[in-house]
């Protein structure tokens, strides 16, 4: 993205290295001796792996609120998926970066079905019209194209951080400033516990741009929640778009669409924060003991009924 001036991206001018906190804030003293011992809270490239119990919400919110970032949430509700908007936004208002400036960029072909939801101070909805689709795969992958265009047209002047999220999910608990970093990715709930890397559902066909060979891989990340600095996210969303276009030229579609391209990118361009599956669980699955808090959960849905071309 061409930078016209420094105005559109406040991130550059933040004193990132200076984690400034208010004096007089009352919070529990951090310990060097106690913490989560049931899970690993660092990656092998030494960035945080965020779980409940690894941060103090009071401290982290105080620090990040000083920066007063503008956060864009890009979601798609195409076809019957508009039915998920109300709960997503209502619960987002209750739990997602509460007290921060947030704009939901709702991409839809049914603008008249976007519900009226009461929003907190400094929070907004922007509706972006996109075409209808006949294949769900085209919506899922098309998100990369349309998000690229919306960032170039509007978001680049309006946000410092950007999250991409699936709409068929509900917030249940705090999703706060501990999630913010240059590039934050969420561990997929299905593969975070001792799954050998060769069993990850990476794209395994060398013809695809998303190809990852056997013997490689750190984690398997979900494409349902990912976020970071606007500029880094722009680069990554555009990368997924361009790689899927390359694949289309070669008459191949990556096995998990943009999620496959995302996983390849993040293997060689490591995220600066990894978020535990607390940041995207699923109502399909029981909650295990190491997930102390479910922050967002994907809803159970009737794929055949809700998608334009039927089920999986
Ligand atoms: C999984 C991933 C999703 C994506 C997809 C790729 C999870 C929780 N989600 O989702 O991020 O990688 O696989 O195959 O692992 N949508 C519409 N209209 C449609 C179809 C999709 O608006 O007709 C949008 C909507 O925002 C939805 C998202 O695309 O939340 C993902 O589609 P999905 O929920 O049908 O795909 P799913 O559950 O297989």
């Amino acid at each position: 993205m061409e930078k016209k001036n420094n105005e559109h991206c406040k991130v550059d001018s933040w004193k990132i290295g200076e984690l400034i906190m208010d004096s007089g804030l009352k919070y529990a003293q951090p310990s060097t001796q106690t913490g989560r011992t049931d899970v690993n809270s660092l990656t092998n490239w030494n960035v945080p792996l965020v779980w409940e119990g690894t941060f103090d919400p009071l401290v982290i919110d105080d620090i990040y609120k000083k920066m007063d970032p503008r956060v864009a949430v890009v979601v798609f509700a195409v076809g019957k998926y508009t039915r998920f908007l109300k709960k997503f936004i209502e619960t987002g208002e209750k739990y997602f970066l509460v007290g921060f400036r947030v704009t939901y960029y709702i991409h839809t072909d049914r603008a008249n079905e976007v519900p009226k939801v009461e929003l907190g101070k400094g929070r907004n909805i922007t509706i972006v019209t996109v075409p209808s689709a006949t294949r769900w795969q085209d919506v899922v992958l098309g998100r990369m194209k349309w998000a690229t265009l919306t960032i170039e047209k509007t978001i680049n002047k309006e946000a410092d951080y950007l999250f991409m999220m699936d709409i068929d999910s509900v917030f249940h608990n705090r999703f706060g400033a501990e999630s913010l970093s240059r590039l934050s990715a969420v561990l997929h709930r299905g593969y975070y516990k001792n799954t050998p890397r060769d069993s990850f559902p990476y794209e395994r066909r060398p013809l695809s741009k998303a190809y990852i060979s056997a013997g490689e891989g750190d984690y398997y990340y979900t494409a349902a929640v990912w976020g970071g600095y606007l500029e880094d996210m722009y680069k990554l969303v555009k990368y997924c778009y361009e790689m899927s276009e390359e694949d289309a030229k070669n008459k191949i579609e990556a096995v998990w669409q943009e999620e496959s391209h995302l996983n390849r990118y993040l293997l060689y361009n490591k995220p600066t924060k990894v978020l535990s599956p607390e940041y995207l669980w699923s109502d399909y699955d029981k909650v295990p003991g190491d997930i102390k808090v479910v922050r967002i959960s994907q809803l159970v849905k009737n794929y055949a009924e809700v998608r334009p071309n039927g089920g999986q």
Side-chain angles (χ1 to χ4, degrees):
M1 176 166 34
E2 272 296 302
K3 252 208 214 164
K4 295 187 191 71
N5 53 49
N6 279 334
E7 279 305 293
H8 77 268
C9 187
K10 267 178 44 185
V11 169
D12 283 348
S13 57
W14 290 348
K15 293 175 179 167
I16 290 294
E18 297 177 25
L19 301 176
I20 300 166
M21 191 186 80
D22 275 330
S23 65
L25 191 72
K26 298 273 178 279
Y27 61 93
Q29 182 183 351
S31 170
T32 59
Q33 305 299 299
T34 58
R36 289 288 294 260
T37 52
D38 56 335
V39 288
N40 189 351
S41 50
L42 265 191
T43 69
N44 67 356
W45 59 98
N46 229 7
V47 304
L49 210 172
V50 182
W51 304 84
E52 177 69 358
T54 61
F55 60 91
D56 185 329
L58 274 175
V59 176
I60 206 145
D61 279 356
D62 186 80
I63 292 168
Y64 278 84
K65 276 189 182 158
K66 283 207 172 30
M67 303 175 193
D68 195 22
R70 301 163 300 172
V71 181
V73 179
V74 169
V75 288
F76 284 72
V78 176
K80 293 180 180 172
Y81 280 65
T82 50
R83 68 179 61 168
F84 301 116
L85 280 166
K86 189 164 188 290
K87 267 263 158 59
F88 179 90
I89 300 166
E90 275 177 0
T91 57
E93 286 305 280
K94 233 169 133 186
Y95 297 116
F96 181 69
L97 286 166
V98 174
F100 287 79
R101 294 189 279 169
V102 170
T103 300
Y104 303 92
Y105 293 83
I106 300 173
H107 294 67
T108 184
D109 57 339
R110 300 184 182 185
N112 58 324
E113 291 181 15
V114 176
K116 296 260 173 295
V117 177
E118 201 179 320
L119 302 174
K121 187 167 164 272
R123 299 170 76 103
N124 296 292
I125 287 178
T126 296
I127 299 174
V128 183
T129 303
V130 293
S132 308
T134 50
R135 288 174 75 239
W136 64 266
Q137 293 90 336
D138 293 339
V139 182
V140 169
L141 263 181
R143 292 190 290 182
M144 301 302 108
K145 171 182 162 185
W146 294 109
T148 300
L149 294 174
T150 310
I151 296 169
E152 289 171 350
K153 212 167 139 202
T154 51
I155 302 179
N156 66 1
K157 299 188 254 353
E158 300 176 352
D160 305 302
Y161 283 98
L162 184 146
F163 277 89
M164 297 288 298
M165 291 193 183
D166 275 11
I167 199 65
D168 57 324
S169 34
V170 168
F171 292 84
H172 294 284
N173 279 291
R174 173 202 163 88
F175 187 131
E178 74 284 356
S179 64
L180 298 175
S181 83
R182 184 166 194 152
L183 204 50
S184 302
V186 177
L187 297 183
H188 193 295
R189 71 183 192 287
Y191 309 96
Y192 78 101
K193 259 189 207 185
N194 303 319
T195 301
R197 47 161 68 120
D198 287 351
S199 302
F200 289 154
Y202 291 150
E203 175 55 65
R204 300 298 187 183
R205 295 165 297 173
L207 182 60
S208 169
K209 293 288 177 196
Y211 172 68
I212 295 176
S213 69
E216 289 199 72
D218 302 314
Y219 305 116
Y220 189 78
Y221 304 101
T222 177
V225 177
W226 37 306
Y229 289 178
L230 178 70
E231 302 238 335
D232 293 77
M233 283 296 286
Y234 171 68
K235 192 170 155 197
L236 178 47
V237 170
K238 196 170 174 206
Y239 167 89
C240 292
Y241 168 42
E242 289 174 350
M243 292 304 114
S244 61
E245 289 287 290
E246 285 293 307
D247 273 4
K249 275 189 214 146
N250 294 319
K251 303 204 171 358
I252 191 165
E253 183 176 274
V255 58
W256 288 104
Q257 290 79 32
E258 85 292 2
E259 191 168 88
S260 304
H261 295 291
L262 176 73
N263 270 279
R264 181 177 161 109
Y265 184 95
L266 292 175
L267 173 56
Y268 304 114
N269 306 267
K270 306 287 193 207
T272 50
K273 233 176 218 184
V274 175
L275 306 177
S276 67
E278 294 164 7
Y279 290 81
L280 186 75
W281 198 254
S282 167
D283 290 357
Y284 283 98
D285 294 342
K286 275 201 355 221
V287 182
D290 52 9
I291 302 296
K292 308 282 182 217
V293 167
V294 171
R295 303 179 193 280
I296 314 187
S297 193
Q298 183 197 7
L299 293 163
V300 169
K301 63 180 182 279
N302 180 345
Y303 280 92
E305 194 268 324
V306 84
R307 284 174 160 177
N309 54 327
Q312 308 228 44

